[in-house]
Amino acid sequence: MKKLTLTKTPLAVACAAALVASTVSAQEEFTGLEEVLVTATKRVQSLQEVGMSITAISETDIEDMGISSFLDFAVRIPNLGTNFQSDGRFDASSPALRGVFGSGDKASAATTGFYIDDVPVTAALQPRVLDLERIEVLRGPQGSLYGARSMGGTIRLITQQPSLDETYGSVHSSISTVEDGDENYSADGSFNIPLIQDTLGLRVAGYYGSVSGVYDRVYEPTWTNYQTGEEVLGTTPAFKDNDNVDDEEYWGGQVALKWMATDNISITPKFVYQKIEADGLPFADVDPENMETPRFFDSEEPGEDEWWIASLVLNWSIDSGDITSTTAYYERDTEEFEEEHTFLDFIYGAAVGIPITPLESVLATTSEYENLSHETRFTSSFEGPWNFTVGIFYADNEFVRGYPAALQVGANDALNDALGAPADIVPGDLIFITNQPEDVEELAVYGEVTWDVTDRMSLTAGGRWYDTEVEFESISDGFANGGPSEFSGSQDESGFNPKVMASFDVSDDVNLYASAAKGFRIGGVNGQLSPTLCGDELDEVGLNPDDLRTYDSDDLWSYEAGIKSTLADNRVSLNAAVFFIDWSDALQVQRLACGFQVDANIGDVESTGFEVEMAAAPIEGLTIELGVGYTETEVKKASGAGFPGYLKGDELHGVPDWTATGSVQYVFPAFGEWDGRVRADGNYYGDSTSFNNGTVVDRESWEALNLRAGVMNENWDVTLFADNVTDERANLADNRSIAAEMPGRPRIVTNRPRTIGLEARYRF
């Protein structure tokens, strides 16, 4: 076990100072911590009563922390790992809880469920975190209530709902400057109005923002002859430095209408939309502190991500409980570009053995998602010892990964000239083209029943029966594909995921629980692996490209025990959990040195660890929050295929050992009707590894500190902030980008550099 060292950080100093301040006597009217309500179990419960490890971030905390994106809150969740496993920037995010790690871009490969309200979306989605009531992060498999792809846990973004009896709203704006870049600015607002008092309510929210890039594209004057090792002066035209090539703009919003059709039936239609337009890829070359990306060509590398959700929720409250029906349609389209000459130069020179002068070639990738989902459930509210939740779920998810025809004009002629004979190595100068549709259909029936054995002890049992079918097709061609290829097929599977839990209230303030649950993930398809580029590498470990076109489902059993406690007259809450996960036939991303990657079943894995979270309000105005997580993973039995990145005894890549977070906030009377507020938020993200290009890469731990100070009254909130105060440049992940990574030049996903700015919010 590695030692966690936080004692020298500014966060630790700030927390120590706050703990000293906590000895001050509390005022008589102060009641301590506010109760946190969650709906993780499909019913409203106090966070302290739910028998699972959950982190909940309220609307107030979201605003106080300045959270506006996924990464803003992800680093504040113990044992939540962030990684970027797939191509490009928009489909790469792969959140993982407790070391249960997988790709986030495909319809079937994610291990962490991602929901906006009750609507399942792709785990790679990174919506702007605006107009939310709260964020809930559920650790451990949620197979009974949330189904496939929630085998490690579930992230839920709960949006604000229309009010039927109050008119109110807010506007918010922010401007800041980022180190190595220019200005960022954003504006957002929301408005709620009862159209018919107590009967019909409307809520509208919208936002717009611009984020400055920090990477500069610079001219590379030489190229490497891989046969001789010499640096050759290039013949491509020089260009001036192109600053901040990763600029982006985003905008979106949501409209919701709530209609009380009768006294006990409500109907809520909602539409949510977001679009991002990016000028380039936000990746560092080789080192996370390197802000320059050397290139032979000043090629444009734009990207676009557009998605929307249309949903309809019907809720019928009856004497014995609530019937809730949610029907939703989710659609997402992405498109990204990258100049790929660097990788092609390596392939020609080192793999094919024919070095040629660099030629410009831009590769594009597209993805299309369409998901129709429906869920109807009944949640009981009986007065007796028995209560239950039962429901049905259906989803039809279509995912199409495409690479439009990528040409490198002149490549075939240049190779022929180098050989002195026509060889047609790149016929038609076609590098790569593919179209890979995949359709996943799911049907499930689920339920959980709880029996209150005594006033202090309860037992819960539940499960989910599922039936899934995956249909797939892949059509590819080009030099990188080894010529034309085509295949199709289907997979189907059914089964049952059980869950049991026991909880015991030691007292009114201390609750113990223990649970066992099964998680499951659907199998799927990879596509064609080039025998030309990857054949030798796969032969060395006894793998056949044809056998890797698809992968099987995997499952796990998770065992958890925990404690939830409220101490010191409701001034402190202390929650802790330990877990053991036995993961069979684990599915992981295998990045090959040939530039391709596959999802593959690598063997049996164990994951063990714990989380501890504390919140304290020792005196009025002062709040302290601390959280620590530890995860250790190990491949206990490697697959017979012998994947080099996952041998027996290896740890899973992309999983940090330690994660820690802490915050201190103090609100105090300032002048007149204005209060002052000072706040410090810090996070620690431990050591991890990645496997890219056939090589294991160590990723160092990193930590960041955010500071905020401002004044506020009933209507206004004005805050000066400094994020990443120490300007830490962290390696969040080794990304394959789009055109594949050349050995010796990793593409690195980093955090944002130091950002200083001012924001203001007005409520009315």
Side-chain angles (χ1 to χ4, degrees):
M1 181 180 294
K2 299 179 182 179
K3 184 179 180 181
L4 174 62
T5 56
L6 288 174
T7 56
K8 296 182 180 180
T9 66
L11 169 64
V13 174
C15 291
L19 289 171
V20 172
S22 69
T23 58
V24 180
S25 299
Q27 299 179 13
E28 292 183 3
E29 67 273 14
F30 179 54
T31 57
L33 295 168
E34 295 184 4
E35 184 180 29
V36 178
L37 298 177
V38 296
T39 54
T41 60
K42 309 274 187 175
R43 62 174 70 237
V44 179
Q45 290 179 282
S46 169
L47 175 67
Q48 296 302 99
E49 295 176 354
V50 181
M52 75 173 75
S53 180
I54 303 175
T55 297
I57 305 176
S58 68
E59 174 194 9
T60 301
D61 287 338
I62 291 170
E63 293 180 357
D64 289 348
M65 293 180 185
I67 293 174
S68 64
S69 69
F70 169 76
L71 281 177
D72 288 342
F73 74 82
V75 295
R76 294 175 167 88
I77 309 297
N79 278 338
L80 174 59
T82 59
N83 217 316
F84 299 82
Q85 284 281 33
S86 192
D87 296 347
R89 68 186 298 178
F90 294 130
D91 274 333
S93 178
S94 307
L97 287 158
R98 292 180 168 176
V100 182
F101 187 67
S103 178
D105 69 319
K106 297 181 181 179
S108 57
T111 58
T112 301
F114 204 102
Y115 283 74
I116 298 179
D117 295 320
D118 278 338
V119 181
V121 297
T122 45
L125 190 70
Q126 295 196 35
R128 308 304 296 188
V129 182
L130 296 166
D131 205 37
L132 294 185
E133 181 179 323
R134 68 185 178 278
I135 300 167
E136 296 179 5
V137 180
L138 290 56
R139 302 181 191 86
Q142 306 299 319
S144 58
L145 296 182
Y146 294 94
R149 294 177 299 281
S150 287
M151 63 191 302
T154 301
I155 299 172
R156 307 178 68 224
L157 307 185
I158 313 298
T159 64
Q160 297 282 356
Q161 300 300 304
S163 171
L164 303 181
D165 57 7
E166 186 178 2
T167 298
Y168 63 94
S170 68
V171 291
H172 167 257
S173 63
S174 173
I175 185 169
S176 61
T177 181
V178 60
E179 195 78 15
D180 292 313
D182 293 324
E183 288 71 38
N184 317 296
Y185 55 89
S186 66
D188 61 86
S190 63
F191 180 64
N192 188 98
I193 182 172
L195 300 177
I196 302 176
Q197 190 72 17
D198 298 327
T199 301
L200 187 65
L202 173 68
R203 186 178 186 91
V204 180
Y207 54 88
Y208 172 82
S210 176
V211 179
S212 170
V214 295
Y215 295 103
D216 304 331
R217 187 182 303 126
V218 300
Y219 178 63
E220 177 66 74
T222 62
W223 59 279
T224 302
N225 184 319
Y226 288 97
Q227 297 301 299
T228 64
E230 65 177 321
E231 292 294 312
V232 181
L233 187 64
T235 59
T236 58
F239 58 85
K240 295 182 180 180
D241 292 356
N242 191 340
D243 296 338
N244 305 332
V245 293
D246 51 319
D247 288 337
E248 73 172 41
E249 289 183 284
Y250 62 87
W251 59 90
Q254 57 187 10
V255 179
L257 192 70
K258 184 174 183 179
W259 173 39
M260 290 299 301
T262 68
D263 289 343
N264 61 343
I265 296 178
S266 68
I267 300 173
T268 307
K270 175 176 286 189
F271 182 79
V272 184
Y273 173 85
Q274 178 178 287
K275 186 172 185 178
I276 300 174
E277 290 185 348
D279 290 343
L281 296 169
F283 303 144
D285 277 12
V286 183
D287 187 289
E289 296 186 5
N290 177 28
M291 311 310 292
E292 293 186 343
T293 55
R295 298 292 183 269
F296 298 131
F297 306 96
D298 191 19
S299 304
E300 295 297 319
E301 298 178 324
E304 184 175 291
D305 178 15
E306 183 176 32
W307 60 270
W308 57 270
I309 299 171
S311 62
L312 180 69
V313 179
L314 184 148
N315 190 81
W316 182 15
S317 296
I318 57 179
D319 292 340
S320 56
D322 288 286
I323 299 172
T324 303
S325 179
T326 302
T327 302
Y329 184 82
Y330 162 57
E331 183 173 307
R332 184 184 186 215
D333 298 295
T334 71
E335 184 178 34
E336 297 188 77
F337 296 82
E338 184 180 25
E339 215 290 319
E340 60 173 339
H341 72 268
T342 306
F343 179 70
L344 291 177
D345 294 342
F346 165 73
I347 291 296
Y348 296 146
V352 180
I354 310 173
I356 63 173
T357 300
L359 297 169
E360 186 174 18
S361 178
V362 177
L363 179 70
T365 180
T366 62
S367 63
E368 300 174 7
Y369 303 84
E370 295 182 14
N371 183 55
L372 174 66
S373 62
H374 175 82
E375 179 182 25
T376 295
R377 67 177 181 270
F378 172 69
T379 304
S380 71
S381 56
F382 301 140
E383 294 183 359
W386 295 89
N387 271 290
F388 62 88
T389 296
V390 63
I392 60 172
F393 175 82
Y394 172 82
D396 187 359
N397 192 107
E398 296 181 4
F399 169 47
V400 181
R401 167 70 75 191
Y403 284 82
L407 302 176
Q408 189 173 39
V409 178
N412 199 55
D413 289 343
L415 290 167
N416 287 343
D417 290 344
L419 284 173
D424 288 333
I425 295 176
V426 188
D429 296 331
L430 178 63
I431 301 301
F432 191 56
I433 183 173
T434 190
N435 187 65
Q436 188 172 305
E438 177 180 335
D439 184 271
V440 180
E441 192 170 11
E442 300 177 58
L443 177 65
V445 178
Y446 66 86
E448 286 188 359
V449 58
T450 298
W451 173 34
D452 294 330
V453 182
T454 68
D455 290 342
R456 294 195 176 276
M457 182 178 180
S458 64
L459 301 176
T460 298
R464 188 183 192 97
W465 174 86
Y466 62 86
D467 184 83
T468 66
E469 183 176 2
V470 181
E471 296 183 350
F472 53 83
E473 182 181 7
S474 179
I475 303 174
S476 307
D477 198 358
F479 163 73
N481 194 65
S485 67
E486 182 176 351
F487 67 91
S488 61
S490 65
Q491 298 175 338
D492 58 82
E493 193 166 0
S494 61
F496 182 74
N497 290 329
K499 174 184 177 179
V500 293
M501 184 191 66
S503 64
F504 180 71
D505 296 336
V506 178
S507 67
D508 292 341
D509 299 321
V510 179
N511 178 37
L512 303 177
Y513 70 89
S515 66
K518 185 180 181 182
F520 164 79
R521 176 170 44 170
I522 302 168
V525 58
N526 284 306
Q528 174 71 15
L529 281 180
S530 170
T532 302
L533 300 182
C534 305
D536 291 343
E537 182 181 0
L538 295 176
D539 286 343
E540 290 179 2
V541 291
L543 295 173
N544 186 327
D546 292 341
D547 296 336
L548 295 174
R549 286 175 170 176
T550 62
Y551 51 86
D552 296 329
S553 63
D554 57 345
D555 58 66
L556 57 78
W557 273 96
S558 174
Y559 307 92
E560 176 180 335
I563 181 172
K564 300 255 180 110
S565 62
T566 303
L567 311 171
D569 196 22
N570 196 41
R571 283 164 171 74
V572 177
S573 68
L574 182 63
N575 301 334
V578 296
F579 63 87
F580 170 76
I581 296 172
D582 186 7
W583 191 356
S584 300
D585 218 13
L587 179 66
Q588 293 291 296
V589 175
Q590 181 81 355
R591 288 176 171 170
L592 305 173
C594 62
F596 283 72
Q597 69 180 30
V598 294
D599 291 307
N601 303 97
I602 57 95
D604 298 338
V605 176
E606 289 183 0
S607 177
T608 56
F610 64 85
E611 300 101 22
V612 179
E613 292 185 287
M614 184 274 287
I619 61 173
E620 187 169 11
L622 177 64
T623 56
I624 306 165
E625 294 183 346
L626 297 171
V628 176
Y630 176 76
T631 301
E632 183 177 11
T633 62
E634 183 180 356
V635 177
K636 304 300 289 187
K637 180 182 178 182
S639 168
F643 289 101
Y646 300 96
L647 302 179
K648 183 177 180 181
D650 287 350
E651 63 184 13
L652 293 188
H653 306 301
V655 179
D657 49 3
W658 289 95
T659 51
T661 180
S663 67
V664 179
Q665 177 172 287
Y666 185 56
V667 179
F668 54 91
F671 54 89
E673 297 181 354
W674 293 79
D675 289 335
R677 178 178 60 214
V678 291
R679 183 182 181 96
D681 289 279
N683 68 270
Y684 174 88
Y685 196 90
D687 295 333
S688 62
T689 60
S690 65
F691 184 78
N692 205 8
N693 231 314
T695 304
V696 175
V697 179
D698 291 326
R699 297 213 307 259
E700 295 182 356
S701 62
W702 64 280
E703 58 188 55
L705 174 68
N706 301 336
L707 300 176
R708 302 172 69 83
V711 293
M712 57 186 177
N713 61 19
E714 185 177 350
N715 300 109
W716 283 96
D717 191 334
V718 181
T719 301
L720 178 68
F721 63 89
D723 293 337
N724 192 8
V725 174
T726 59
D727 200 24
E728 176 86 359
R729 308 294 175 97
N731 180 342
L732 301 182
D734 285 24
N735 186 283
R736 198 173 65 118
S737 63
I738 298 170
E741 177 185 305
M742 186 188 75
R745 197 208 73 177
R747 307 300 306 282
I748 297 173
V749 182
T750 68
N751 61 332
R752 293 286 288 176
R754 179 170 51 235
T755 303
I756 298 175
L758 179 69
E759 66 174 355
R761 177 175 282 105
Y762 176 70
R763 300 179 178 87
F764 56 89

